[in-house]
């Protein structure tokens, strides 16, 4: 497929590498311009372009930028044809994104994103930590392969998202509609806990909407303390999974 990725940070970089390695025709962009994209993003193929070029003439757009910056790309996305599948990886962290009143009042994060962009989206790759994503992918059928939920209102779009998730070394789990996607938000049992396909249905069912934000904030504080002075912003997979399993499951 022809894929445009906007955002090549912790998650977007691995998306670019894995989807290129899987044979897709990938373009990538950040906010600062193609010259600033590091060579390892393009190690398996792909081209660095402007954000406007990244979303032009592609089958799929993947947005992998902080949630509070999504409104900045709304104008770009408005020009993308309706049949292009738009996938979003974002999560709401008020400590990073600032307070978003609608989400604080209970709006599902993916529905807020769809509203900002003025079009339907697929929610995918939001529920895997960046280090697990970079290091723990496996071929389909491997024992213990990590599963992640994929939500969308359109069956066609969800299928496209799920196929691409499989191409990045993960089992794709059909998590239903965007309205149900609060079950894969930060603080829920499936969120960055590296569970398998067999464990996913029970994890989604066990999600607790009232408690997830509190659990998300506890995890955020612990991660910030852990990273303090390290110069890094994301902890390693082993720490994230141990912490989140203890807090969220
Ligand atoms: N980190 C994780 O473990 C993780 C896991 C799952 C999901 N997520 C979610 O995925 C999203 C990305 O997270 P991340 O950790 O990969 O972020 P990150 O490391 O901070 O990278 C953000 C990327 O977005 C780009 N960007 C920001 N605003 C932009 C704009 N207006 N136009 C084009 N590019 C823009 C940045 O480009 P510049 O550097 O040029 O500004 C950068 O390449 C977030 O919503 C996050 O919550 C993260």
């Amino acid at each position: 497929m022809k894929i445009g990725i906007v955002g090549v940070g912790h998650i977007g970089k691995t998306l670019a590498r894995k989807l290129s390695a899987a044979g897709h025709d990938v373009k990538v962009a950040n906010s600062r311009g193609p010259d600033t994209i590091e060579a390892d993003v393009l190690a398996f193929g792909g081209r660095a372009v402007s954000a406007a070029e990244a979303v032009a003439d592609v089958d799929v757009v993947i947005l992998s930028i902080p949630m509070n910056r999504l409104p900045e790309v709304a104008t770009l996305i408005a020009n993308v044809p309706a049949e292009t599948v738009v996938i979003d990886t974002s999560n709401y962290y008020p400590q990073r994104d600032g307070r978003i009143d609608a989400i604080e009042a209970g709006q599902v994060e993916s529905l807020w994103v769809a509203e900002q962009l003025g079009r339907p989206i697929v929610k995918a790759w939001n529920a895997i930590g960046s280090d697990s994503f970079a290091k723990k992918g496996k071929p389909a059928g491997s024992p213990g392969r990590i599963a992640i939920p994929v939500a969308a209102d359109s069956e066609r779009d969800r299928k496209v998202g799920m196929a691409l998730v499989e191409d990045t070394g993960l089992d794709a789990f059909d998590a239903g509609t965007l309205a149900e996607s609060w079950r894969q938000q930060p603080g829920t049992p499936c969120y960055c806990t590296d569970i398998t396909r067999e464990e996913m249905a029970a994890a989604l069912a066990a999600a607790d909407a009232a408690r997830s934000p509190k659990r998300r904030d506890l995890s955020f504080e612990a991660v910030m303390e852990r990273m303090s002075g390290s110069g890094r912003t994301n902890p390693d997979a082993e720490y994230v999974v141990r912490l989140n399993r203890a807090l969220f499951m």
Side-chain angles (χ1 to χ4, degrees):
M1 301 192 98
K2 291 193 283 181
I3 301 173
I5 302 174
V6 179
V8 284
H10 291 95
I11 291 291
K13 169 181 163 174
T14 299
L15 283 170
R17 290 165 61 91
K18 291 195 177 203
L19 292 171
S20 297
H24 296 289
D25 179 6
V26 174
K27 294 188 275 184
V28 297
N30 62 9
S31 76
R32 288 166 293 140
D35 296 346
T36 65
I37 290 179
E38 288 168 12
D40 59 341
V41 174
L42 308 173
F44 298 98
R47 281 168 291 144
V49 297
S50 69
E53 286 173 279
V55 304
D57 186 29
V58 288
D59 305 304
V60 177
V61 170
I62 305 178
L63 299 174
S64 193
I65 73 179
M67 192 173 228
N68 65 346
R69 300 196 61 182
L70 283 167
E72 292 173 22
V73 298
T75 315
L76 280 185
I77 297 300
N79 298 322
V80 168
E83 62 270 20
T84 304
V85 179
V86 175
I87 307 179
D88 172 52
T89 75
S90 75
N91 293 300
Y92 174 53
Y93 282 95
Q95 302 87 342
R96 177 196 65 193
D97 296 318
R99 184 185 162 90
I100 299 177
D101 288 337
I103 294 177
E104 295 289 346
Q107 186 174 26
V108 175
E109 292 172 20
S110 62
L111 293 175
W112 182 87
V113 172
E115 206 172 274
Q116 301 307 307
L117 300 177
R119 59 166 298 143
I121 58 152
V122 178
K123 186 179 182 79
W125 292 290
N126 78 296
I128 181 135
S130 61
D131 197 39
S132 286
F133 187 35
K135 294 181 184 157
K136 293 193 184 174
K138 291 180 179 179
S142 304
R145 195 181 197 220
I146 295 170
I148 57 166
V150 180
D153 291 344
S154 146
E155 291 287 331
R156 180 197 77 116
D157 291 4
R158 192 180 324 112
K159 277 193 183 136
V160 170
M162 289 177 70
L164 293 178
V165 164
E166 294 279 342
D167 286 345
T168 61
L170 307 170
D171 281 340
F173 190 92
D174 182 342
T177 63
L178 295 181
E180 283 295 305
S181 71
W182 62 269
R183 296 179 182 278
Q184 67 192 70
Q185 288 178 186
T188 60
C190 76
Y191 184 78
C192 301
T193 47
D194 287 6
I195 59 177
T196 62
R197 191 204 302 272
E198 291 69 33
E199 297 168 312
M200 186 58 77
L204 291 170
D208 183 329
R211 297 173 80 171
S212 305
K214 172 81 174 162
R215 294 172 176 185
R216 171 201 65 204
D217 292 346
L218 287 168
S219 160
F220 186 88
E221 288 306 317
V223 167
M224 287 302 106
E225 195 288 326
R226 183 77 168 194
M227 293 294 97
S228 166
S230 72
R232 296 172 57 209
T233 50
N234 274 17
D236 62 41
E238 200 239 346
Y239 177 75
V240 172
V241 172
R242 273 194 294 128
L243 176 69
N244 288 359
R245 286 186 175 194
L247 290 173
F248 302 166
M249 295 179 90

